[in-house]
Amino acid sequence: MEFYQEKPRKGVICNYGITDHFKSSYLAVDFVMPLTVENATGMSLLAGVISRGCKAYPQMDLISRYLARHYGASFSINASKAGELEILTFAFTYLDNEYAIDGEDIRGAVIALFKEMVFHPLAENGAFTAEYVEQEKTNLSDKIIGLFNDKRIYSLERCKALMCGDEAFGINEMGDRETLSAFDAHSLYAYFERMMSEAYVVISYVGKDRAHFLGELADGFTDRSDVMPETVVKTAGKLQEIVEPMDLNQSKLNLGFRLGRSALNNGAACRLFNVLYGGSANSKLFMNVRERLSLCYYCSSIIDRFKNVMFVSSGVEASKYEEARGEIEAQLAAVAAGEFTDEELENARVYLIDSIRGFLDSEGALASLMLSGTLRNEMKTPEQEIEDISKVTRSEIVEIAREVTLDTVYLLKGVHNEA
Amino acid sequence: MTNSKVFACPVIGEAYEKVIHSSGLTVYFMKKQEKAKKAAMIAAKFGSINYTFTAPDGRRVTVPNGTAHFLEHKLFEGEKGNAFDFYAKTGAKANAYTSNDKTAYYFVCSDHFEENLDVLLSFVTHPYLTKENVEKEKGIIAQEIKMYEDEPGWQGYFTMVQGLYQEHPIRRDIAGTVEDIYSLTPEILMDCYNTFYHPSNLVMAVVGDVDKNVVFEAIDRYFPGNTDISVGDMPIIEPDPAGERYVEKAMLVSRPIFHLGFKDNDTDVSGKELSKKEMEVDILLEYLFGKSSPFFKELYESGVINHEFDCWYDLSDYFSFCVINGESDDPKKVERCAFEHISELKRSGIDEERFREIRNGLYGSLVMETDQAYSMANRMVGNYLNGAETFDAIEVLHEITTEDLQKRAEKMFAEERSCLSVIYPLKEE
């Protein structure tokens, strides 16, 4: 496994993850912009409109049939956020040529489709197809409203929005409906052109092909700024506690925390802290809130390394909310007081190392490791990540835990039996 | 080792071995050179449908819904501690699931395979059920049940299954209700364990860069004897038509969620024929409803459905049905349109070019899947329980003809064997 990076143009990066582990290859381009409502909405809408067709294949079924014909190649386009960055990703996975039954050039066909989808979207006279834009506006609007359907995700997103109401991080990766309603076929195309010329571009390949062929794709882009937009890191202010009732069987408890300076500067320790505290089935949260006290089925923590924040989520009985919250905070205090055994620390370390080694068997995981390394300007292979994690000490974990501060508590309270 | 057979798929350079161990346990072993991930799974042919059975001592036992699932949770507990405590030392990702027809326990790891295998085999072969630890689990599972009660996707799917089937035990809830699980005792759970968890009712699969001797030495250790107990098959009587053609439920969703199910009436198929049937249905589903289909295009472009759309095939030794699922303000229109496209296919046959494209696509996905250790272990276990072999799918794919597909469509898709379930938005006051 080796990572290799080229910078063929200013602001355009090509990443190669060379590995013999797969019968397939992964090829993607990421457009990276600051997280603003306009970028989140614009990129999310673009994802819908571009997936409808390109000049060469102006309808969705034509694209699907092309992909199927080429041995189940897949294409997806998706907008997401990382810290305070919004990223539009075009991704292809395809079977390597040696497995084609009739000797077809699958790789060549996918690269051709890549160029069509990225550089020649279906547009004329400075506008996308109006009908597609209107339909995709409706679809995106439904999707934004539909966030509500999965209460676990909905409550976590709500907690993020409440905690970071006046920060970019509070913006949903899909944007909002008000901004969406202002887009039309012309303004979306103008937005697309702006993204194509201004966004930081990362092209990635994972597979066994050792020819450095991404330059050919990078040629489609002009020079642009190579300054990565910054994510603003804040400290917690006054604790916010918000309860919203809903007709549900189970309450969803979410706690939003700010991490401190040590977490920001020491990625390996920060991730290890998270695994120890709530990021695995052997964590403090799982072993205590679930296994010891039987308060929930799930209780776990996640961190956003860009934004330097952590969220704990759990599904609990409304009447047990105080008890669950108390235990979640108590377990954090325990880590901060160094109350964890060497065995617990080593278990967390082994768990994290095992996960990272597992990246070697996932093209998507390798690509996202290269992308986040690029965005943070510290590209590391799984082996290098493992080396960093093996060196983390107990006192580094304690230091990270000590600096964690609770910012927001959000309870989506189930009131099903209180009619 | 008494009986062993190698299954190879030369075009992709993969092979696996199927071994019937002296204990009666069937073991699949797939060596993957130089891969990081290793997966092991062991599954009992015991799921939510096995609610009534004859215990080894001859007693007839009937258990509450949710029993197989509860036992799954409890097997992780051992006299010397919880299996998770042991996995914690090795860093494995371990879990389990219970479906209608099986309970499967597995781990995926990069290192310490031998220790992990020892943990897996140890807890599955050594139940440790006490009044206290059974009581303790009830609170956790009650929260799991409540989580599912609030999940519209699951509720819509399960409501459809209950509408589609009239008598079949697949109608029984996998997790049970909170009342069901509170009635469980260690004695009931041990009756299930003694009936279903002996080697000849279990199957195991190992995939990865693993030493075969390590695997079989562990198996010899944990399965020393041969206790061949015949479980006896679940007799299943299911009338041909769907129980209900339409079912609905109100929940807190933004837009109606539909599940349109089609119950198969050609269920007496096994072995290679079953793999062929599975591939035929997969091709038909993509042909009729996939993203490359005129059906999808028509409904998507008119705004009746959106990207939240999927179709799949649920197949086991005991049941076989297709599901079309998505969001729509007009689920009846989706149903009408599905029926029209099915009739059209039955009337005019299959377009040869699209058929070839879909077959290519399916072939590519099956080949790519062989890179994934967990998927392969899960697939080998599932296929075994259905009486099929995993590489048969790739092999039979190129034997399928358009005539086969047309015949299959007749058996698989009929209006009188379909049920539409709709979860519609409940407005909050």
Side-chain angles (χ1 to χ4, degrees):
Chain A
M1 166 90 256
E2 56 178 299
F3 282 176
Y4 180 83
Q5 193 169 75
E6 287 169 352
K7 295 182 181 171
R9 293 210 182 302
K10 200 172 164 222
V12 180
I13 302 280
C14 295
N15 287 330
Y16 299 87
I18 305 300
T19 161
D20 291 325
H21 276 211
F22 309 98
K23 298 185 186 71
S24 55
S25 293
Y26 175 92
L27 177 65
V29 58
D30 295 283
F31 294 89
V32 184
M33 303 272 275
L35 178 57
T36 62
V37 183
E38 197 206 3
N39 286 331
T41 314
M43 284 186 171
S44 299
L45 183 56
L46 275 181
V49 172
I50 290 174
S51 70
R52 295 296 295 272
C54 55
K55 282 212 172 77
Y57 305 99
Q59 278 153 357
M60 269 195 306
D61 58 326
L62 299 177
I63 300 170
S64 299
R65 292 184 61 177
Y66 184 94
L67 292 165
R69 201 151 59 231
H70 293 98
Y71 293 94
S74 67
F75 164 64
S76 67
I77 174 167
N78 182 41
S80 61
K81 76 176 186 187
E84 292 177 345
L85 299 173
E86 179 78 6
I87 304 170
L88 182 66
T89 307
F90 294 65
F92 296 83
T93 304
Y94 56 93
L95 194 66
D96 288 337
N97 280 355
E98 59 203 276
Y99 301 102
I101 294 174
D102 295 317
E104 298 96 325
D105 179 15
I106 306 174
R107 172 181 176 275
V110 168
I111 290 173
L113 183 63
F114 177 105
K115 289 181 184 165
E116 293 298 332
M117 295 303 292
V118 176
F119 300 116
H120 307 291
L122 190 58
E124 53 184 15
N125 304 324
F128 285 112
T129 309
E131 188 193 341
Y132 287 177
V133 172
E134 287 314 307
Q135 285 170 353
E136 293 307 323
K137 280 173 70 176
T138 307
N139 285 342
L140 181 55
S141 170
D142 286 345
K143 208 168 155 186
I144 293 170
I145 303 170
L147 245 186
F148 166 80
N149 294 347
D150 186 329
K151 306 303 179 284
R152 190 167 164 173
I153 296 172
Y154 167 78
S155 64
L156 175 61
E157 286 302 311
R158 187 92 184 102
C159 181
K160 288 181 186 171
L162 290 164
M163 174 161 144
C164 303
D166 51 6
E167 296 160 70
F169 192 74
I171 297 166
N172 186 277
E173 62 192 7
M174 292 190 281
D176 69 26
R177 294 171 70 212
E178 197 187 322
T179 314
L180 179 62
S181 65
F183 272 111
D184 64 22
H186 277 94
S187 63
L188 185 67
Y189 192 75
Y191 177 77
F192 170 74
E193 292 202 302
R194 190 156 76 76
M195 180 193 85
M196 289 296 281
S197 62
E198 290 178 12
Y200 192 86
V201 174
V202 182
I203 308 174
S204 305
Y205 169 79
V206 178
K208 58 171 90 73
D209 197 334
R210 283 171 165 81
H212 290 173
F213 66 98
L214 297 183
E216 176 191 346
L217 300 173
D219 282 346
F221 298 101
T222 50
D223 286 352
R224 68 237 12 252
S225 163
D226 56 0
V227 180
M228 188 64 55
E230 285 228 6
T231 293
V232 180
V233 173
K234 287 176 93 171
T235 49
K238 190 175 169 290
L239 176 66
Q240 294 191 77
E241 300 180 73
I242 298 133
V243 178
E244 291 178 336
M246 196 179 274
D247 184 3
L248 294 174
N249 292 294
Q250 185 180 71
S251 300
K252 306 288 182 194
L253 171 61
N254 294 272
L255 282 76
F257 297 89
R258 306 268 181 182
L259 305 177
R261 184 156 298 277
S262 332
L264 200 59
N265 297 334
N266 189 344
C270 178
R271 292 164 71 186
L272 193 51
F273 155 74
N274 182 53
V275 171
L276 176 74
Y277 174 55
S280 81
N282 324 307
S283 66
K284 289 271 189 193
L285 292 183
F286 191 90
M287 295 315 284
N288 289 287
V289 187
R290 171 175 152 143
E291 292 296 313
R292 186 168 58 82
L293 300 172
S294 300
L295 288 171
C296 63
Y297 173 67
Y298 70 92
C299 181
S300 61
S301 64
I302 47 165
I303 48 173
D304 185 304
R305 290 260 296 110
F306 287 94
K307 185 64 183 169
N308 212 33
V309 288
M310 174 173 77
F311 295 90
V312 170
S313 309
S314 183
V316 298
E317 198 67 47
S319 60
K320 302 277 178 66
Y321 145 69
E322 294 285 353
E323 195 184 341
R325 176 184 161 180
E327 189 61 23
I328 291 166
E329 292 188 66
Q331 290 304 321
L332 179 62
V335 179
E339 289 164 16
F340 52 92
T341 62
D342 288 340
E343 192 188 359
E344 284 175 303
L345 174 60
E346 289 320 307
N347 289 350
R349 196 191 312 270
V350 166
Y351 179 92
L352 188 54
I353 289 175
D354 194 280
S355 315
I356 293 172
R357 191 155 289 145
F359 289 180
L360 294 169
D361 281 358
S362 161
E363 292 170 308
L366 289 172
S368 86
L369 189 63
M370 291 196 297
L371 178 67
S372 61
T374 305
L375 301 181
R376 221 178 269 122
N377 206 12
E378 48 169 17
M379 179 95 107
K380 282 179 180 162
T381 62
E383 288 87 350
Q384 290 163 327
E385 297 253 353
I386 289 169
E387 202 185 319
D388 290 351
I389 288 157
S390 3
K391 289 182 194 147
V392 174
T393 63
R394 157 180 285 274
S395 60
E396 287 173 307
I397 306 265
V398 168
E399 175 128 7
I400 284 171
R402 275 195 192 143
E403 290 173 0
V404 176
T405 42
L406 182 58
D407 185 296
T408 299
V409 179
Y410 174 67
L411 180 71
L412 180 64
K413 190 178 179 189
V415 290
H416 187 61
N417 298 319
E418 298 176 15
Chain B
M1 258 175 257
T2 48
N3 180 339
S4 150
K5 192 175 173 193
V6 174
F7 294 82
C9 189
V11 280
I12 57 167
E14 298 279 8
Y16 64 80
E17 197 174 343
K18 178 184 184 181
V19 176
I20 319 256
H21 183 252
S22 54
S23 61
L25 175 72
T26 299
V27 185
Y28 284 90
F29 179 74
M30 187 174 189
K31 176 94 178 173
K32 306 283 282 177
Q33 303 281 4
E34 289 172 30
K35 281 281 198 179
K37 281 192 197 169
K38 299 143 184 87
M41 175 178 277
I42 185 162
K45 197 166 186 165
F46 175 46
S48 59
I49 63 174
N50 307 92
Y51 68 98
T52 175
F53 52 86
T54 306
D57 60 12
R59 268 175 311 126
R60 190 74 202 160
V61 178
T62 299
V63 299
N65 288 351
T67 305
H69 173 251
F70 199 99
L71 181 59
E72 172 223 298
H73 273 240
K74 276 338 290 172
L75 267 198
F76 280 96
E77 208 97 39
E79 201 165 354
K80 285 182 232 146
N82 190 296
F84 283 110
D85 297 341
F86 294 101
Y87 282 132
K89 298 184 206 317
T90 64
K93 315 292 169 290
N95 211 335
Y97 68 86
T98 305
S99 68
N100 307 108
D101 65 338
K102 65 174 171 291
T103 313
Y105 304 82
Y106 62 90
F107 67 82
V108 179
C109 67
S110 310
D111 295 314
H112 307 288
F113 177 82
E114 199 172 341
E115 292 101 301
N116 290 325
L117 184 64
D118 196 68
V119 175
L120 177 71
L121 295 180
S122 166
F123 77 77
V124 171
T125 52
H126 293 86
Y128 179 67
L129 303 167
T130 63
K131 220 175 162 51
E132 295 70 40
N133 73 27
V134 168
E135 281 313 305
K136 187 214 91 175
E137 203 67 23
K138 290 177 179 174
I140 296 172
I141 296 180
Q143 286 309 315
E144 186 179 2
I145 291 169
K146 290 191 173 191
M147 183 177 83
Y148 279 109
E149 283 172 355
D150 289 334
E151 270 182 27
W154 172 255
Q155 290 300 321
Y157 171 79
F158 193 63
T159 307
M160 181 210 78
V161 168
Q162 290 195 316
L164 207 50
Y165 285 88
Q166 301 191 39
E167 309 283 339
H168 198 294
I170 194 176
R171 303 182 81 256
R172 293 173 172 266
D173 197 339
I174 294 173
T177 61
V178 173
E179 291 72 41
D180 288 328
I181 60 154
Y182 271 89
S183 71
L184 286 173
T185 61
E187 291 71 33
I188 298 175
L189 295 167
M190 276 315 290
D191 277 341
C192 295
Y193 184 85
N194 290 329
T195 307
F196 294 102
Y197 282 75
H198 50 83
S200 51
N201 204 51
L202 295 173
V203 55
M204 191 174 154
V206 173
V207 180
D209 193 357
V210 172
D211 182 351
K212 190 175 145 190
N213 291 327
V214 163
V215 175
F216 284 94
E217 277 162 26
I219 293 172
D220 288 342
R221 234 177 14 256
Y222 283 101
F223 297 98
N226 181 327
T227 43
D228 195 4
I229 303 165
S230 167
V231 173
D233 230 353
M234 273 292 295
I236 288 181
I237 302 147
E238 172 62 22
D240 198 58
E244 306 277 351
R245 295 293 312 285
Y246 179 80
V247 283
E248 62 175 25
K249 196 170 184 170
M251 287 183 77
L252 289 174
V253 290
S254 58
R255 205 177 176 204
I257 294 173
F258 67 86
H259 287 78
L260 174 61
F262 290 93
K263 179 166 70 170
D264 189 4
N265 77 342
D266 181 30
T267 48
D268 206 14
V269 181
S270 64
K272 218 171 198 170
E273 279 302 302
L274 189 85
S275 296
K276 185 161 177 250
K277 173 165 113 169
E278 188 179 0
M279 291 300 106
E280 287 169 358
V281 175
D282 282 346
I283 291 172
L284 282 171
L285 279 175
E286 179 59 35
Y287 189 92
L288 282 165
F289 311 117
K291 302 235 157 136
S292 65
S293 67
F295 163 90
F296 184 80
K297 185 178 170 161
E298 188 180 323
L299 292 181
Y300 188 93
E301 287 182 353
S302 57
V304 177
I305 57 174
N306 55 27
H307 269 295
E308 297 294 320
F309 179 86
D310 201 4
C311 51
W312 69 89
Y313 183 30
D314 268 345
L315 169 71
S316 126
D317 220 9
Y318 298 101
F319 51 82
S320 158
F321 59 94
C322 289
V323 185
I324 302 164
N325 151 245
E327 293 179 4
S328 176
D329 291 328
D330 193 354
K332 290 270 187 196
K333 183 164 180 185
V334 178
E335 185 189 43
R336 257 194 329 273
C337 188
F339 289 162
E340 278 164 25
H341 283 271
I342 290 166
S343 310
E344 172 61 24
L345 181 147
K346 289 178 180 173
R347 202 166 47 238
S348 340
I350 307 270
D351 174 68
E352 189 76 34
E353 195 188 337
R354 278 202 65 219
F355 161 58
R356 284 172 201 277
E357 285 170 359
I358 293 168
R359 194 178 56 186
N360 263 11
L362 205 51
Y363 172 80
S365 332
L366 288 169
V367 174
M368 287 189 253
E369 193 187 11
T370 60
D371 284 337
Q372 305 302 325
Y374 170 78
S375 297
M376 288 316 282
N378 193 40
R379 202 175 259 276
M380 289 196 286
V381 161
N383 279 333
Y384 167 79
L385 295 176
N386 298 346
E389 283 303 333
T390 296
F391 285 158
D392 284 352
I394 295 178
E395 204 181 310
V396 298
L397 200 52
H398 291 273
E399 296 167 8
I400 294 170
T401 64
T402 50
E403 291 72 45
D404 292 336
L405 293 175
Q406 212 161 343
K407 276 188 213 143
R408 180 57 57 202
E410 292 288 345
K411 293 170 185 160
M412 191 71 233
F413 299 105
E415 292 185 27
E416 65 276 12
R417 288 195 307 276
S418 75
C419 174
L420 175 66
S421 125
V422 178
I423 300 292
Y424 64 87
L426 168 77
K427 293 280 171 246
E428 232 192 330
E429 280 125 51

